[in-house]
Amino acid sequence: MRVLIALGGNAMTGPGGDATPQAQREAITLAMRHVATVVASGHEVVLTHGNGPQVGNLLVKNELAAQVVPPVPLDWCGAQTQGTIGFTMLDALEQALAAVGAPRPVAALVSRTLVAADDPAFANATKPIGRFLPQDQARSMIEHGETWEDRGEKGWRRVVASPEPLEVLETGTLLTLVDAGYVVVAAGGGGIPVVRAADGSVHGVEAVIDKDLTAAVLARAIGADALVIATDVENAVLGYGTPDARPVGRVSVAEMEAYAAAGHFTSGSMGPKVEAALRFVRDGGRRSVITALDRIADALGGEVGTIIENPSASTEPATERLLP
Ligand code: ADP
Ligand code: MG
Protein backbone atom coordinates (compact mmCIF):
# COMPACT_ATOMS: atom_id res chain seq x y z
CA MET A 1 0.00 0.00 0.00
CA ARG A 2 1.01 3.59 -0.60
CA VAL A 3 0.44 5.53 2.62
CA LEU A 4 0.55 9.22 3.41
CA ILE A 5 1.32 9.82 7.08
CA ALA A 6 0.65 13.28 8.53
CA LEU A 7 2.55 13.89 11.76
CA GLY A 8 1.16 16.34 14.30
CA GLY A 9 3.00 18.84 16.44
CA ASN A 10 3.41 16.34 19.25
CA ALA A 11 5.67 14.27 16.99
CA MET A 12 7.91 17.31 16.51
CA THR A 13 8.32 18.72 20.03
CA GLY A 14 8.98 17.29 23.45
CA PRO A 15 6.56 16.79 26.35
CA GLY A 16 4.54 19.92 27.07
CA GLY A 17 5.62 21.47 23.78
CA ASP A 18 9.32 21.69 24.72
CA ALA A 19 10.95 23.10 21.55
CA THR A 20 14.65 22.99 22.45
CA PRO A 21 16.65 21.44 19.60
CA GLN A 22 17.36 18.43 21.83
CA ALA A 23 13.67 17.89 22.61
CA GLN A 24 12.71 18.27 18.95
CA ARG A 25 15.38 15.77 17.88
CA GLU A 26 14.24 13.26 20.49
CA ALA A 27 10.57 13.58 19.50
CA ILE A 28 11.38 13.23 15.82
CA THR A 29 13.65 10.24 16.50
CA LEU A 30 10.78 8.50 18.26
CA ALA A 31 8.35 9.39 15.47
CA MET A 32 10.72 8.09 12.79
CA ARG A 33 10.96 4.74 14.62
CA HIS A 34 7.20 4.35 14.24
CA VAL A 35 7.40 5.40 10.60
CA ALA A 36 10.23 2.91 9.97
CA THR A 37 8.05 0.11 11.33
CA VAL A 38 5.44 0.99 8.72
CA VAL A 39 8.06 1.01 5.94
CA ALA A 40 9.51 -2.30 7.15
CA SER A 41 6.09 -3.92 6.91
CA GLY A 42 6.19 -3.28 3.18
CA HIS A 43 4.32 0.00 2.70
CA GLU A 44 5.38 2.86 0.45
CA VAL A 45 5.43 5.88 2.77
CA VAL A 46 5.18 9.62 2.16
CA LEU A 47 5.42 11.91 5.18
CA THR A 48 4.08 15.31 5.95
CA HIS A 49 4.19 17.23 9.22
CA GLY A 50 2.98 20.24 11.17
CA ASN A 51 5.12 23.27 12.05
CA GLY A 52 2.99 25.39 14.40
CA PRO A 53 5.35 25.60 17.39
CA GLN A 54 8.40 26.11 15.18
CA VAL A 55 6.81 28.95 13.20
CA GLY A 56 5.60 30.44 16.49
CA ASN A 57 9.21 30.53 17.71
CA LEU A 58 10.45 32.15 14.49
CA LEU A 59 7.80 34.85 14.84
CA VAL A 60 9.02 35.66 18.35
CA LYS A 61 12.56 36.04 16.98
CA ASN A 62 11.17 38.30 14.25
CA GLU A 63 9.50 40.53 16.83
CA LEU A 64 12.40 40.68 19.27
CA ALA A 65 15.05 41.29 16.62
CA ALA A 66 13.06 43.61 14.35
CA GLN A 67 15.32 46.58 15.11
CA VAL A 68 18.46 44.61 14.20
CA VAL A 69 17.55 42.26 11.32
CA PRO A 70 14.56 42.66 9.02
CA PRO A 71 11.57 40.45 9.95
CA VAL A 72 10.85 37.82 7.30
CA PRO A 73 7.38 37.03 5.94
CA LEU A 74 5.31 34.03 6.96
CA ASP A 75 6.00 32.10 3.75
CA TRP A 76 9.72 32.33 4.56
CA CYS A 77 9.04 31.03 8.06
CA GLY A 78 7.24 28.08 6.47
CA ALA A 79 10.15 27.38 4.14
CA GLN A 80 12.66 27.62 6.99
CA THR A 81 10.75 25.17 9.18
CA GLN A 82 10.35 22.71 6.29
CA GLY A 83 14.14 22.87 6.06
CA THR A 84 14.98 22.32 9.70
CA ILE A 85 12.24 19.78 10.43
CA GLY A 86 12.90 17.98 7.13
CA PHE A 87 16.62 17.79 7.81
CA THR A 88 16.06 16.46 11.33
CA MET A 89 13.58 13.89 10.05
CA LEU A 90 15.98 12.66 7.35
CA ASP A 91 18.77 11.93 9.83
CA ALA A 92 16.43 10.16 12.23
CA LEU A 93 14.57 8.30 9.47
CA GLU A 94 17.74 6.96 7.87
CA GLN A 95 18.90 5.58 11.19
CA ALA A 96 15.49 4.15 12.08
CA LEU A 97 15.17 2.43 8.69
CA ALA A 98 18.64 0.92 9.01
CA ALA A 99 17.80 -0.27 12.54
CA VAL A 100 14.75 -2.23 11.33
CA GLY A 101 16.65 -3.67 8.36
CA ALA A 102 14.71 -1.67 5.78
CA PRO A 103 17.19 0.88 4.44
CA ARG A 104 15.71 3.29 1.88
CA PRO A 105 16.93 6.53 0.36
CA VAL A 106 15.22 9.54 1.96
CA ALA A 107 14.51 13.08 0.80
CA ALA A 108 12.74 16.20 2.04
CA LEU A 109 11.16 18.59 -0.43
CA VAL A 110 10.74 22.31 0.05
CA SER A 111 7.11 22.31 -1.04
CA ARG A 112 4.72 25.01 -2.22
CA THR A 113 0.97 24.69 -1.92
CA LEU A 114 -1.18 26.63 -4.33
CA VAL A 115 -4.06 28.61 -2.86
CA ALA A 116 -6.57 30.85 -4.64
CA ALA A 117 -5.71 34.56 -4.56
CA ASP A 118 -9.43 35.22 -4.12
CA ASP A 119 -9.88 32.66 -1.33
CA PRO A 120 -12.38 34.28 1.09
CA ALA A 121 -9.92 33.53 3.94
CA PHE A 122 -7.76 36.47 2.76
CA ALA A 123 -10.59 38.89 3.54
CA ASN A 124 -11.26 37.27 6.89
CA ALA A 125 -8.11 36.26 8.81
CA THR A 126 -9.08 33.76 11.50
CA LYS A 127 -6.08 31.57 12.28
CA PRO A 128 -4.27 32.64 15.50
CA ILE A 129 -0.50 32.24 15.37
CA GLY A 130 2.49 33.07 17.54
CA ARG A 131 2.45 34.33 21.11
CA PHE A 132 0.18 36.70 23.00
CA LEU A 133 1.42 40.29 23.36
CA PRO A 134 0.33 43.25 25.44
CA GLN A 135 -1.75 45.84 23.60
CA ASP A 136 1.02 48.42 23.03
CA GLN A 137 3.32 45.86 21.39
CA ALA A 138 0.45 44.48 19.32
CA ARG A 139 -0.25 48.08 18.19
CA SER A 140 3.24 48.44 16.79
CA MET A 141 2.87 45.18 14.84
CA ILE A 142 -0.51 46.41 13.55
CA GLU A 143 1.29 49.54 12.33
CA HIS A 144 3.56 47.16 10.38
CA GLY A 145 0.47 45.88 8.56
CA GLU A 146 -0.37 42.82 10.64
CA THR A 147 -3.81 41.88 11.98
CA TRP A 148 -3.98 41.40 15.75
CA GLU A 149 -7.04 40.66 17.89
CA ASP A 150 -7.84 41.37 21.49
CA ARG A 151 -8.10 37.97 23.16
CA GLY A 152 -9.03 39.28 26.60
CA GLU A 153 -6.98 38.35 29.65
CA LYS A 154 -4.21 36.58 27.74
CA GLY A 155 -3.52 39.67 25.63
CA TRP A 156 -3.46 40.27 21.89
CA ARG A 157 -2.77 37.66 19.24
CA ARG A 158 -1.92 37.81 15.57
CA VAL A 159 -4.45 36.27 13.18
CA VAL A 160 -3.68 35.32 9.60
CA ALA A 161 -5.55 33.92 6.63
CA SER A 162 -5.85 30.14 6.40
CA PRO A 163 -6.87 29.50 2.79
CA GLU A 164 -7.86 26.16 1.27
CA PRO A 165 -5.03 24.07 -0.20
CA LEU A 166 -5.64 23.43 -3.91
CA GLU A 167 -2.54 21.61 -5.12
CA VAL A 168 0.96 20.81 -3.89
CA LEU A 169 3.19 22.10 -6.68
CA GLU A 170 5.93 19.57 -5.92
CA THR A 171 3.63 16.57 -6.46
CA GLY A 172 5.35 15.54 -9.70
CA THR A 173 8.80 15.66 -8.09
CA LEU A 174 7.47 13.72 -5.15
CA LEU A 175 6.08 10.95 -7.37
CA THR A 176 9.39 10.70 -9.23
CA LEU A 177 11.18 10.13 -5.93
CA VAL A 178 8.57 7.68 -4.61
CA ASP A 179 8.82 5.67 -7.83
CA ALA A 180 12.59 5.59 -7.36
CA GLY A 181 12.14 4.07 -3.88
CA TYR A 182 12.57 7.15 -1.71
CA VAL A 183 10.75 7.81 1.52
CA VAL A 184 9.86 11.47 1.02
CA VAL A 185 8.97 14.25 3.44
CA ALA A 186 6.81 16.88 1.71
CA ALA A 187 4.42 19.78 2.24
CA GLY A 188 5.52 20.39 5.83
CA GLY A 189 3.28 22.82 7.68
CA GLY A 190 0.69 22.36 4.93
CA GLY A 191 3.16 23.66 2.36
CA ILE A 192 4.39 27.19 1.70
CA PRO A 193 1.28 29.10 0.60
CA VAL A 194 1.63 30.52 -2.92
CA VAL A 195 -0.74 32.14 -5.38
CA ARG A 196 -0.46 32.10 -9.16
CA ALA A 197 -0.34 35.42 -10.98
CA ALA A 198 -1.97 36.05 -14.37
CA ASP A 199 1.39 35.52 -16.11
CA GLY A 200 1.65 32.03 -14.58
CA SER A 201 4.34 32.91 -12.02
CA VAL A 202 3.78 31.93 -8.41
CA HIS A 203 4.70 33.86 -5.30
CA GLY A 204 4.46 33.30 -1.57
CA VAL A 205 1.74 34.92 0.51
CA GLU A 206 1.29 35.74 4.20
CA ALA A 207 -0.94 32.87 5.23
CA VAL A 208 -0.87 29.46 6.86
CA ILE A 209 -2.43 26.31 5.46
CA ASP A 210 -3.84 23.56 7.64
CA LYS A 211 -1.44 20.62 7.36
CA ASP A 212 -4.19 18.01 7.66
CA LEU A 213 -6.19 19.54 4.79
CA THR A 214 -3.06 19.65 2.61
CA ALA A 215 -2.36 16.03 3.55
CA ALA A 216 -5.78 15.06 2.17
CA VAL A 217 -5.09 16.88 -1.13
CA LEU A 218 -1.63 15.36 -1.43
CA ALA A 219 -2.79 11.85 -0.54
CA ARG A 220 -5.29 11.90 -3.40
CA ALA A 221 -2.85 13.46 -5.84
CA ILE A 222 -0.31 10.68 -5.28
CA GLY A 223 -2.95 7.94 -5.39
CA ALA A 224 -2.37 6.92 -1.76
CA ASP A 225 -4.35 3.92 -0.52
CA ALA A 226 -4.53 5.38 2.96
CA LEU A 227 -4.25 8.72 4.70
CA VAL A 228 -3.00 8.28 8.26
CA ILE A 229 -3.29 11.27 10.57
CA ALA A 230 -0.97 10.64 13.51
CA THR A 231 -1.63 12.71 16.61
CA ASP A 232 -1.59 12.26 20.39
CA VAL A 233 -4.97 10.59 20.89
CA GLU A 234 -5.90 7.09 19.71
CA ASN A 235 -9.32 8.07 18.39
CA ALA A 236 -11.52 10.99 17.59
CA VAL A 237 -13.92 11.11 20.51
CA LEU A 238 -17.60 12.03 20.80
CA GLY A 239 -18.38 14.19 23.81
CA TYR A 240 -14.64 14.78 24.24
CA GLY A 241 -13.77 15.79 27.78
CA THR A 242 -17.24 14.97 29.13
CA PRO A 243 -18.31 12.01 31.30
CA ASP A 244 -20.05 10.58 28.21
CA ALA A 245 -16.89 10.55 26.08
CA ARG A 246 -17.00 7.75 23.51
CA PRO A 247 -14.22 6.95 21.01
CA VAL A 248 -15.18 6.65 17.34
CA GLY A 249 -13.91 3.45 15.70
CA ARG A 250 -14.90 2.40 12.18
CA VAL A 251 -17.41 4.86 10.84
CA SER A 252 -19.09 5.77 7.56
CA VAL A 253 -18.66 9.12 5.85
CA ALA A 254 -22.30 9.99 6.56
CA GLU A 255 -22.03 9.14 10.27
CA MET A 256 -18.82 11.10 10.69
CA GLU A 257 -20.30 14.08 8.85
CA ALA A 258 -23.21 14.01 11.26
CA TYR A 259 -20.90 13.90 14.31
CA ALA A 260 -18.88 16.81 12.91
CA ALA A 261 -22.04 18.81 12.20
CA ALA A 262 -23.12 18.20 15.80
CA GLY A 263 -19.95 19.94 16.96
CA HIS A 264 -18.03 17.00 18.44
CA PHE A 265 -14.65 17.99 16.98
CA THR A 266 -12.95 21.19 18.10
CA SER A 267 -11.92 23.58 15.34
CA GLY A 268 -8.17 24.07 15.26
CA SER A 269 -7.40 20.61 16.68
CA MET A 270 -9.55 17.52 15.98
CA GLY A 271 -11.88 19.42 13.61
CA PRO A 272 -9.47 19.76 10.66
CA LYS A 273 -8.28 16.17 11.09
CA VAL A 274 -11.82 14.87 10.79
CA GLU A 275 -12.47 17.20 7.84
CA ALA A 276 -9.27 16.00 6.10
CA ALA A 277 -10.13 12.34 6.75
CA LEU A 278 -13.61 12.90 5.29
CA ARG A 279 -12.35 14.80 2.25
CA PHE A 280 -9.85 12.08 1.30
CA VAL A 281 -12.49 9.36 1.29
CA ARG A 282 -15.23 11.53 -0.25
CA ASP A 283 -12.79 12.46 -2.99
CA GLY A 284 -12.29 8.79 -3.86
CA GLY A 285 -9.55 7.69 -1.44
CA ARG A 286 -9.95 4.26 0.13
CA ARG A 287 -9.19 4.70 3.81
CA SER A 288 -8.51 7.47 6.32
CA VAL A 289 -7.29 6.74 9.83
CA ILE A 290 -6.93 9.15 12.74
CA THR A 291 -4.89 7.66 15.56
CA ALA A 292 -1.98 8.07 17.96
CA LEU A 293 1.55 8.15 16.59
CA ASP A 294 2.50 4.95 18.41
CA ARG A 295 -0.41 3.07 16.80
CA ILE A 296 0.23 3.90 13.13
CA ALA A 297 1.74 0.52 12.24
CA ASP A 298 -1.16 -1.36 13.89
CA ALA A 299 -3.69 1.00 12.33
CA LEU A 300 -2.77 -0.04 8.80
CA GLY A 301 -3.38 -3.69 9.58
CA GLY A 302 -6.48 -3.69 11.71
CA GLU A 303 -9.15 -2.06 13.78
CA VAL A 304 -7.17 0.69 15.45
CA GLY A 305 -8.07 4.35 15.58
CA THR A 306 -10.91 6.17 13.89
CA ILE A 307 -11.33 4.60 10.45
CA ILE A 308 -13.33 6.03 7.57
CA GLU A 309 -13.33 3.65 4.65
CA ASN A 310 -14.69 3.46 1.14
CA PRO A 311 -14.23 -0.15 -0.01
CA SER A 312 -15.18 0.61 -3.61
CA ALA A 313 -12.63 3.42 -4.01
CA SER A 314 -10.05 3.41 -6.76
CA THR A 315 -6.50 4.36 -5.92
CA GLU A 316 -5.79 6.11 -9.20
CA PRO A 317 -4.42 9.60 -8.61
CA ALA A 318 -7.16 12.22 -8.55
CA THR A 319 -5.45 14.01 -11.39
CA GLU A 320 -2.90 13.13 -14.03
CA ARG A 321 -1.95 16.67 -14.87
CA LEU A 322 0.59 16.83 -12.03
CA LEU A 323 2.68 13.96 -13.33
CA PRO A 324 6.00 14.98 -14.85
P1 ADP B 1 -1.54 17.69 16.29
O1 ADP B 1 -0.63 18.66 16.97
O2 ADP B 1 -1.14 16.26 16.44
O3 ADP B 1 -1.87 18.07 14.87
P2 ADP B 1 -3.79 18.82 17.75
O4 ADP B 1 -3.23 19.15 19.09
O5 ADP B 1 -4.03 19.91 16.79
O6 ADP B 1 -2.90 17.68 17.10
O7 ADP B 1 -5.14 17.98 17.89
C1 ADP B 1 -5.19 16.82 18.72
C2 ADP B 1 -5.90 17.19 20.02
O8 ADP B 1 -7.27 17.47 19.73
C3 ADP B 1 -5.97 16.14 21.07
O9 ADP B 1 -4.80 16.11 21.86
C4 ADP B 1 -7.20 16.56 21.89
O10 ADP B 1 -6.80 17.31 23.01
C5 ADP B 1 -7.95 17.52 20.97
N1 ADP B 1 -9.35 17.21 20.72
C6 ADP B 1 -10.31 18.15 20.59
N2 ADP B 1 -11.50 17.58 20.34
C7 ADP B 1 -11.30 16.26 20.29
C8 ADP B 1 -12.15 15.13 20.06
N3 ADP B 1 -13.46 15.28 19.81
N4 ADP B 1 -11.60 13.89 20.09
C9 ADP B 1 -10.30 13.73 20.32
N5 ADP B 1 -9.43 14.75 20.55
C10 ADP B 1 -9.92 16.00 20.54
MG1 MG C 1 -0.95 19.50 19.13
Side-chain angles (χ1 to χ4, degrees):
M1 285 210 296
R2 180 173 291 178
V3 182
L4 186 108
I5 303 174
L7 299 165
N10 58 299
M12 241 68 57
T13 50
D18 182 354
T20 59
Q22 176 67 8
Q24 293 193 52
R25 268 196 296 267
E26 281 170 12
I28 288 175
T29 298
L30 195 63
M32 292 307 109
R33 286 196 193 128
H34 293 299
V35 170
T37 309
V38 176
V39 175
S41 63
H43 300 303
E44 219 170 50
V45 171
V46 174
L47 294 171
T48 190
H49 59 83
N51 68 350
Q54 290 81 3
V55 167
N57 289 349
L58 286 181
L59 293 174
V60 173
K61 292 184 192 177
N62 267 348
E63 286 159 21
L64 295 179
Q67 307 306 322
V68 188
V69 286
V72 299
L74 213 42
D75 47 320
W76 282 40
C77 293
Q80 288 175 19
T81 58
Q82 284 184 353
T84 41
I85 296 169
F87 150 69
T88 311
M89 285 173 79
L90 294 186
D91 283 353
L93 184 57
E94 238 169 30
Q95 284 184 38
L97 289 168
V100 294
R104 300 277 188 288
V106 296
L109 290 179
V110 174
S111 317
R112 301 161 297 171
T113 299
L114 188 68
V115 301
D118 61 355
D119 189 304
F122 287 111
N124 181 27
T126 54
K127 172 76 182 171
I129 58 164
R131 61 175 186 159
F132 292 88
L133 285 182
Q135 184 176 16
D136 56 324
Q137 286 177 47
R139 279 261 159 73
S140 90
M141 300 312 287
I142 292 168
E143 280 159 19
H144 282 90
E146 296 181 359
T147 307
W148 286 67
E149 278 181 356
D150 187 356
R151 296 272 163 146
E153 251 173 38
K154 285 171 133 178
W156 286 60
R157 195 143 186 232
R158 184 176 178 195
V159 287
V160 297
S162 185
E164 287 284 327
L166 300 178
E167 178 186 335
V168 175
L169 296 183
E170 274 60 45
T171 302
T173 315
L174 171 56
L175 285 170
T176 304
L177 289 167
V178 169
D179 289 343
Y182 281 74
V183 179
V184 187
V185 182
I192 305 161
V194 298
V195 296
R196 198 184 291 284
D199 66 0
S201 61
V202 298
H203 59 96
V205 287
E206 293 264 7
V208 295
I209 306 176
D210 184 272
K211 72 115 181 15
D212 294 309
L213 298 184
T214 297
V217 170
L218 187 59
R220 272 307 283 148
I222 64 171
D225 300 281
L227 167 63
V228 177
I229 299 178
T231 182
D232 57 354
V233 288
E234 204 167 308
N235 296 76
V237 174
L238 304 180
Y240 184 73
T242 73
D244 304 322
R246 185 160 66 85
V248 182
R250 183 179 290 269
V251 68
S252 71
V253 167
E255 285 169 313
M256 202 57 171
E257 283 173 345
Y259 295 145
H264 282 287
F265 312 118
T266 317
S267 66
S269 59
M270 189 50 70
K273 296 181 199 312
V274 169
E275 178 60 23
L278 280 169
R279 283 187 191 183
F280 176 67
V281 173
R282 260 194 237 123
D283 193 30
R286 184 170 290 164
R287 176 192 251 220
S288 294
V289 185
I290 301 170
T291 196
L293 174 63
D294 59 2
R295 301 307 308 274
I296 57 176
D298 304 329
L300 287 166
E303 295 297 312
V304 170
T306 297
I307 303 167
I308 310 176
E309 204 164 45
N310 174 5
S312 61
S314 86
T315 55
E316 288 306 302
T319 167
E320 292 294 329
R321 79 199 138 90
L322 298 168
L323 297 174

